């Protein structure tokens, strides 16, 4: 929700994940979408100075996509919602041969911070959306930190980096996303969406 260089609690958790990914020889790039001019919409390019295509190009070039969001009013942030809507627009860019979406053979995960309840709700919605758009979701591909309900210190001020539950699940997320990303590199998903769609059409018209 904050633009650079303002301190971000969610980015602090993201940076811990980056350090753990580095231990697995995985290179990461953090994109703070608030720093970009991203238009509202459900296509891959809304024109008129929309900077989403630049971000989408980074996503298409990645093997693992982790979305980070704060909890705001008990839900994911408006920026997170916008990201999901724009990613969904990419499903129209199907591979000519297989019909697969651009996020096929990519691994999805989510990181959440907040001092209000809602981490599991945000995580489930983000992971469902990524899966719907083609991502593979490994087990335990979510990690979060939440403080006590109501006004209070957030992740950085509350020293959330020492929280056992968060640190444990962060390691689960990193290890499992890396494992499945390497697995799909060796054995990409073979699903032919064009073929399956034609089969469904024949069945539906009979």
């Amino acid at each position: 929700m904050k633009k650079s260089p303002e301190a971000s609690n969610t980015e602090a958790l993201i940076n811990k994940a980056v350090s753990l990914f580095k231990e697995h020889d995985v290179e990461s790039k953090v994109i703070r979408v608030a720093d970009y001019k991203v238009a509202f919409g459900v296509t891959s390019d809304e024109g008129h100075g929309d900077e989403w295509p630049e971000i989408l190009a980074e996503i298409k070039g990645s093997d693992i996509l982790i979305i980070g969001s704060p909890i705001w009013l008990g839900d994911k942030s408006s920026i997170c919602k916008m990201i999901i809507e724009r990613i969904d627009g990419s499903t129209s860019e199907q591979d000519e041969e297989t019909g697969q979406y651009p996020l096929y053979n990519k691994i999805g995960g989510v990181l959440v911070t907040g001092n209000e309840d809602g981490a599991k709700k945000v995580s489930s919605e983000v992971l469902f959306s990524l899966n719907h758009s083609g991502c593979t979701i490994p087990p335990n591909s979510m990690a979060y930190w939440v403080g006590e309900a109501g006004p209070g210190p957030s992740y950085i001020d509350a020293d959330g980096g020492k929280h056992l539950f968060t640190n444990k699940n962060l390691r689960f997320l990193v290890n499992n996303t890396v494992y499945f990303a390497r697995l799909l590199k060796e054995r990409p998903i073979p699903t032919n969406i064009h073929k399956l769609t034609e089969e469904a059409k024949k069945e539906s018209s009979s």
Side-chain angles (χ1 to χ4, degrees):
M1 298 286 280
K2 303 168 185 172
K3 294 184 178 182
S4 300
E6 190 173 355
S8 163
N9 290 284
T10 304
E11 188 172 53
L13 181 58
I14 290 170
N15 288 338
K16 286 203 71 172
V18 169
S19 296
L20 291 172
F21 276 119
K22 189 174 182 179
E23 293 177 8
H24 291 267
D25 297 321
V26 174
E27 181 182 347
S28 302
K29 180 170 184 177
V30 179
I31 298 175
R32 195 186 288 203
V33 178
D35 292 337
Y36 292 76
K37 295 179 180 178
V38 177
F40 291 102
V42 291
T43 69
S44 292
D45 189 347
E46 291 290 322
H48 307 294
D50 180 23
E51 294 182 337
W52 175 253
E54 179 182 343
I55 297 173
L56 182 59
E58 295 284 355
I59 293 174
K60 290 178 178 180
S62 70
D63 298 308
I64 300 171
L65 172 60
I66 308 294
I67 292 182
S69 175
I71 300 168
W72 207 254
L73 297 175
D75 206 342
K76 57 186 174 292
S77 72
S78 57
I79 294 177
C80 181
K81 175 67 173 176
M82 178 176 62
I83 291 168
I84 288 171
E85 290 169 346
R86 298 304 303 271
I87 286 176
D88 183 61
S90 71
T91 59
S92 63
E93 301 175 45
Q94 293 175 275
D95 179 81
E96 290 186 8
E97 183 178 346
T98 65
Q100 292 182 359
Y101 311 142
L103 268 63
Y104 256 71
N105 295 302
K106 300 187 186 302
I107 304 300
V110 61
L111 296 171
V112 181
T113 61
N115 58 5
E116 297 279 0
D117 188 26
K120 291 182 179 179
K121 177 179 185 293
V122 172
S123 297
S124 63
E125 291 178 353
V126 172
L127 292 176
F128 167 81
S129 299
L130 288 177
N131 182 255
H132 176 74
S133 295
C135 277
T136 296
I137 308 299
N140 303 118
S141 55
M142 58 175 275
Y144 64 86
W145 179 90
V146 287
E148 296 181 2
S154 295
Y155 181 79
I156 296 173
D157 292 337
D159 211 7
K162 294 182 179 179
H163 196 278
L164 174 60
F165 179 81
T166 302
N167 290 334
K168 179 182 67 174
N169 282 281
L170 193 59
R171 282 162 172 77
F172 293 169
L173 177 149
V174 169
N175 278 266
N176 289 346
T177 55
V178 170
Y179 173 79
F180 275 85
R182 288 174 174 158
L183 190 67
L184 289 182
K185 276 287 189 181
E186 296 177 3
R187 294 178 177 273
I189 297 170
T191 306
N192 189 312
I193 291 180
H194 287 323
K195 179 181 178 182
L196 297 179
T197 300
E198 289 305 312
E199 290 177 2
K201 287 180 179 179
K202 291 178 182 178
E203 181 181 6
S204 300
S205 61
S206 59

